[in-house]
Amino acid sequence: MSEKGIGYAKTILLGEHFVVYGIPAIAIGLPRKLEVEIQNSDHMQIVPNSDEKVVQSMEAIKKAMNITDNFIIKIKSEIPLGCGLGSSAALCVGFVRALSNKYKLNLSNELISSYAYEGEKIYHKTPSGIDNTLATFGGAILFQKAPEKNIIKPLKIGAALFIVIGNTGKRIKGTGEIVADVRAKKEKNPELYAYLFDAEKKIIELALNAIEQGKVQELGELMNVNQGLLSAIGVSSKENEEIIQKARECGALGAKLTGAGLGGCCVILAENKKNAELIVNEIKKIGYNAFSIVVEKN
Ligand code: PMV
């Protein structure tokens, strides 16, 4: 008999990379899911066939959960893989949920997320935990990594957010490598990076207020400034910049890369539904994929 489990995609609206070092970040769960189906087997096998890291990650989760059985793991994903929307975390969460169903463990979301984190470490070495949190809980949250227990606060959304995701379709490096590159730069130039980190902290503080108050123009401007910082720490690419530029030409309120960067996806704040549609179409015209979602006022 087979069991299934689901994990969700996410977009980081503000704060990627800085979140690894304890600065809060703002993220939104996306209505795109990844489904994992497991079936007992005498060996571990992923379908469709994927790299060794995926098997290692599933093994790390099994170890954390004290499970020694082997499985054929079938993956069905609506989330484009490896492009900043948290597909690896969704896979880890889907696997934990499938195991929880199989062994009738009735795991809480907190536990699902923490087991998934063990799998995430294989891909990203020092993940902040934001991806597995969003892949488990969804919604719109403020996330802050903390030594004892991460802080996760649901956000009050003061006005609907018209979000466009533009996908460059390629990644120059994996998340773990990009995070390591940023760490090396930070260690080489601590004084400058302390200054950049303070700026990011302020951006998040102001953005939180803008989201709560429904000040979307202000939020867009903060996303643009955040992109400036991401570019300053060296994680933007020509393709990210092309999408961002196109979105701004179409009247976007704000646009930046989302996730680890160096390709992957961009997150754009459109003015309204019509503007979001225009941005999606124009991004497609320059050869990239795009889709839009609405985060409703709550
Ligand atoms: O590109 P993704 O989906 O792997 O997102 C990574 C987000 C980072 O902040 C760069 C790393 C992390 O662990 O938070």
Side-chain angles (χ1 to χ4, degrees):
M1 216 184 75
S2 71
E3 289 291 348
K4 289 180 181 173
I6 276 171
Y8 289 93
K10 63 98 214 329
T11 178
I12 300 180
L13 205 55
L14 297 138
E16 50 275 275
H17 286 288
F18 300 91
V19 69
V20 173
Y21 302 91
I23 306 276
I26 295 171
I28 293 168
L30 296 173
R32 293 275 187 285
K33 63 179 189 300
L34 182 149
E35 187 186 85
V36 175
E37 187 180 343
I38 57 170
Q39 208 161 12
N40 273 94
S41 171
D42 56 358
H43 66 293
M44 288 290 276
Q45 190 190 340
I46 315 286
V47 183
N49 223 344
S50 53
D51 67 46
E52 192 47 34
K53 277 256 162 73
V54 180
V55 178
Q56 285 170 16
S57 160
M58 302 296 106
E59 289 288 2
I61 290 172
K62 274 173 44 187
K63 190 166 173 225
M65 293 177 73
N66 254 325
I67 290 170
T68 50
D69 291 344
N70 287 323
F71 307 96
I72 293 177
I73 301 169
K74 288 188 190 153
I75 304 169
K76 254 198 264 167
S77 184
E78 297 170 359
I79 311 170
L81 303 180
C83 69
L85 299 184
S87 57
S88 64
L91 173 55
C92 292
V93 168
F95 184 51
V96 176
R97 283 204 168 119
L99 291 173
S100 176
N101 291 338
K102 180 173 177 59
Y103 297 102
K104 309 212 175 346
L105 303 177
N106 205 11
L107 295 179
S108 66
N109 276 338
E110 274 81 8
L111 269 176
I112 289 169
S113 182
S114 75
Y115 286 134
Y117 183 73
E118 295 305 312
E120 271 284 271
K121 281 196 218 161
I122 301 293
Y123 299 102
H124 303 332
K125 298 186 188 92
T126 57
S128 62
I130 193 168
D131 283 14
N132 47 285
T133 300
L134 261 297
T136 307
F137 292 88
I141 61 159
L142 179 91
F143 174 92
Q144 186 170 13
K145 187 179 172 182
E148 288 293 309
K149 194 171 189 286
N150 296 333
I151 298 165
I152 303 161
K153 278 193 200 145
L155 291 182
K156 162 109 193 63
I157 311 285
L161 304 175
F162 296 92
I163 303 281
V164 174
I165 302 292
N167 187 356
T168 66
K170 70 171 190 187
R171 237 326 165 49
I172 297 166
K173 290 180 179 179
T175 298
E177 224 181 321
I178 305 173
V179 169
D181 287 352
V182 172
R183 174 166 290 118
K185 284 186 200 162
K186 182 175 176 287
E187 281 166 5
K188 206 169 150 202
N189 214 337
E191 212 181 331
L192 174 66
Y193 270 68
Y195 180 73
L196 297 176
F197 273 62
D198 278 350
E200 182 69 20
K201 208 168 155 191
K202 193 70 199 170
I203 290 173
I204 301 293
E205 195 185 304
L206 294 171
L208 197 56
N209 185 55
I211 291 173
E212 283 176 3
Q213 307 280 316
K215 294 179 180 161
V216 287
Q217 301 271 352
E218 199 176 311
L219 176 62
E221 196 177 333
L222 291 162
M223 288 169 68
N224 287 336
V225 177
N226 194 161
Q227 172 60 21
L229 286 183
L230 289 165
S231 182
I233 65 171
V235 298
S236 195
S237 74
K238 175 175 155 281
E239 292 79 7
N240 291 127
E241 297 296 336
E242 263 175 29
I243 290 178
I244 290 164
Q245 194 52 40
K246 182 49 76 184
R248 289 181 187 157
E249 277 167 25
C250 294
L253 302 176
K256 59 181 275 295
L257 66 86
T258 185
L262 287 185
C265 285
C266 295
V267 60
I268 295 145
L269 183 64
E271 201 175 354
N272 49 39
K273 198 168 186 314
K274 200 163 160 241
N275 184 225
E277 277 164 15
L278 171 77
I279 294 168
V280 167
N281 287 335
E282 291 299 314
I283 290 175
K284 285 183 178 170
K285 274 191 207 160
I286 57 167
Y288 299 114
N289 267 325
F291 63 91
S292 68
I293 62 146
V294 185
V295 181
E296 299 291 351
K297 180 177 183 299
N298 60 16

